[in-house]
Amino acid sequence: MRGFLASSIGVACTAALALPLAALPPDTVAATPAAPAEAAVPGSTQSLPLAPLGDSGDRTAGVPGPARAGLPARDVRTFSLVGVVWDDADAELHGSVQVRTRATGTTDWSGWQDLETHNQDHSADPETDEHTSGRVRGSTAPLWVGDSDGVEVRVQANADRSTAAVRLPSGMRIELVDPGDDPQNTPLAPLGAREIQALSKGESEADAVIATDGAAGPAVAPYIGPRPRIVTRKGWGADEKLRETGFVYTKTVKAAFVHHSASGNNYQCSQASSVLRSIYRYHVRSNGWRDFGYNFAVDKCGNIYEGRAGGVAKPVLGAHTLGFNSNSMGIAVLGSFGNSAPPKAAVDAVARLTAWKLGLYGANPLGRTTLTSGGGNLYKKGRKVRLNVISGHRDGFATECPGARLYSKLGSARTTSAQYQGR
């Protein structure tokens, strides 16, 4: 089923940590025909270069690209998520990116939809191995468009007021992601104690689909909320061959940063696994990250999903809040919440998840904590910053994320989380 997403408002939240990435596998291709080896890999990515459109703009004095670029309407293999990437991970795209897509098997084209262009603040901290690997690209936020087989792209740079020049990053490409088929083994059955213990340790995760302590229940002393049901990576169909091997951990979890994915709201909860697989593939194959950027994701129905691999109870280092990935966790609510209110179920899921995970590390959802900045546009590297234990992305970086409407619900999430902890 095709789902059109509302224009992304605010910054999509994403991120990662680096070990050297291998060369792009045969499932990432620059041409429309399928690669022979692709059948063995669930899902695929088509990577198509954008060309200058019309006036090439001012190319003098170090201007890196044309004023306008794009891709004329064309037929492609089936895909469900789109994003635009470029060569320099530190180059910002000052301008607009719009796409329109055609539903698979029809002649129906969507209207033009915006891609959120400011996405660099959802990434690994500066000077980390992942950020400096040389494989990371600049990117827009991804946009879920549903089953499609046609695409058209247009990019327009803003004028630089100081030089009257226009600039676009070099090496711009449209990434068209097919999430592959949904996993067949998705029963929502509780795991046994042995399986839950293995999942918490980051072991045998490929054998676990759902982890649960049951629904509601008394908080576990001292102030640890009941463990919520978590759909594991196997549960949503993550291809573990995509990510880099090994896990990276920090010392503790002192804070949770709440994000929105800025990938739009027009998806069904039954499609959430496909949305996650698409974002995962975009993060790794298109952006050059080592794994899915967020530690957890939450859909509009309040389902909670394991994000970056390494153990849901462990302090896994993510790449979600540039400058503040250490000793924190990132939670992405799937959708765009600049103008749309987040569903109550999603806000409550954030509260349930934080009550448990923060509780494991002795953190009070109503409290404040101190984190040391790794560098960003609000706080210089090395600065110690006091933040809410449950913060929005914008608290650590100048961004619209997690959208004004979701950000306004964080006070309620803190109160509910503390209640789940028995405070």
Side-chain angles (χ1 to χ4, degrees):
M1 177 184 295
R2 183 176 192 194
F4 291 131
L5 295 185
S7 297
S8 301
I9 301 197
V11 180
C13 313
T14 50
L17 242 223
L19 300 170
L21 284 171
L24 290 178
D27 68 310
T28 300
V29 297
T32 299
E38 190 169 85
V41 180
S44 64
T45 302
Q46 300 170 77
S47 185
L48 307 172
L50 303 186
L53 296 177
D55 181 7
S56 62
D58 183 352
R59 290 178 175 271
T60 64
V63 176
R68 299 173 60 242
L71 182 75
R74 61 174 291 177
D75 298 338
V76 292
R77 291 200 318 271
T78 301
F79 67 96
S80 295
L81 179 138
V82 303
V84 169
V85 301
W86 51 91
D87 293 340
D88 185 354
D90 295 321
E92 292 190 34
L93 196 166
H94 296 287
S96 63
V97 179
Q98 294 183 313
V99 299
R100 69 182 190 119
T101 55
R102 185 187 62 212
T104 299
T106 75
T107 59
D108 300 329
W109 285 83
S110 71
W112 287 102
Q113 302 181 83
D114 294 320
L115 273 63
E116 173 53 57
T117 58
H118 300 292
N119 196 42
Q120 277 76 352
D121 50 335
H122 316 279
S123 61
D125 290 349
E127 301 181 16
T128 60
D129 288 341
E130 182 171 22
H131 191 89
T132 61
S133 68
R135 302 306 300 269
V136 180
R137 297 172 175 174
S139 65
T140 68
L143 181 68
W144 174 263
V145 295
D147 235 9
S148 305
D149 60 9
V151 66
E152 184 174 4
V153 187
R154 62 189 186 191
V155 183
Q156 174 68 59
N158 293 337
D160 183 333
R161 295 182 180 179
S162 64
T163 64
V166 287
R167 303 165 180 266
L168 284 179
S170 61
M172 298 187 72
R173 307 181 69 84
I174 182 75
E175 303 285 291
L176 308 175
V177 181
D178 170 20
D181 296 330
D182 281 322
Q184 298 301 308
N185 51 350
T186 55
L188 301 186
L191 297 177
R194 181 176 173 183
E195 291 169 304
I196 289 176
Q197 183 179 27
L199 181 68
S200 298
K201 292 180 178 179
E203 301 168 355
S204 305
E205 297 199 37
D207 298 326
V209 176
I210 300 294
T212 180
D213 269 356
V220 180
Y223 304 119
I224 301 173
R227 182 194 184 105
R229 190 181 74 185
I230 301 171
V231 181
T232 66
R233 290 169 64 93
K234 182 178 181 180
W236 55 265
D239 180 0
E240 301 300 346
K241 296 185 295 295
L242 290 180
R243 66 174 176 86
E244 294 176 1
T245 58
F247 310 125
V248 182
Y249 300 100
T250 58
K251 294 179 180 180
T252 186
V253 179
K254 299 171 67 176
F257 286 98
V258 178
H259 307 253
H260 67 175
S261 64
S263 52
N265 302 321
N266 197 12
Y267 68 93
Q268 304 298 319
C269 290
S270 60
Q271 297 176 303
S273 290
S274 293
V275 175
L276 287 169
R277 290 196 306 279
S278 298
I279 295 175
Y280 171 43
R281 183 174 286 273
Y282 183 69
H283 284 181
V284 177
R285 289 292 184 247
S286 302
N287 293 4
W289 300 345
R290 72 179 308 270
D291 193 358
F292 190 84
Y294 310 102
N295 299 102
F296 297 94
V298 171
D299 69 23
K300 64 172 67 176
C301 292
N303 298 305
I304 301 169
Y305 302 85
E306 177 186 17
R308 182 162 287 206
V312 294
K314 286 197 167 187
V316 178
L317 179 61
H320 45 85
T321 307
L322 181 67
F324 291 100
N325 292 302
S326 291
N327 299 327
S328 72
M329 69 175 185
I331 304 168
V333 181
L334 298 180
S336 301
F337 302 108
N339 294 321
S340 300
K344 183 179 182 302
V347 177
D348 185 68
V350 170
R352 288 185 286 112
L353 175 59
T354 53
W356 169 69
K357 183 64 179 280
L358 291 172
L360 294 178
Y361 295 88
N364 180 352
L366 294 174
R368 291 174 67 81
T369 190
T370 300
L371 295 176
T372 301
S373 173
N377 65 0
L378 277 182
Y379 304 105
K380 293 182 179 180
K381 181 179 178 180
R383 179 171 173 180
K384 296 186 181 301
V385 183
R386 290 288 288 173
L387 294 164
N388 288 316
V389 167
I390 298 179
S391 286
H393 185 179
R394 63 175 63 181
D395 295 322
F397 198 96
T399 172
E400 292 298 316
C401 185
R405 301 294 294 274
L406 177 54
Y407 187 77
S408 69
K409 298 294 185 182
L410 295 187
S412 173
R414 294 181 192 109
T415 301
T416 305
S417 181
Q419 290 172 347
Y420 279 122
Q421 284 191 348
R423 294 183 185 272

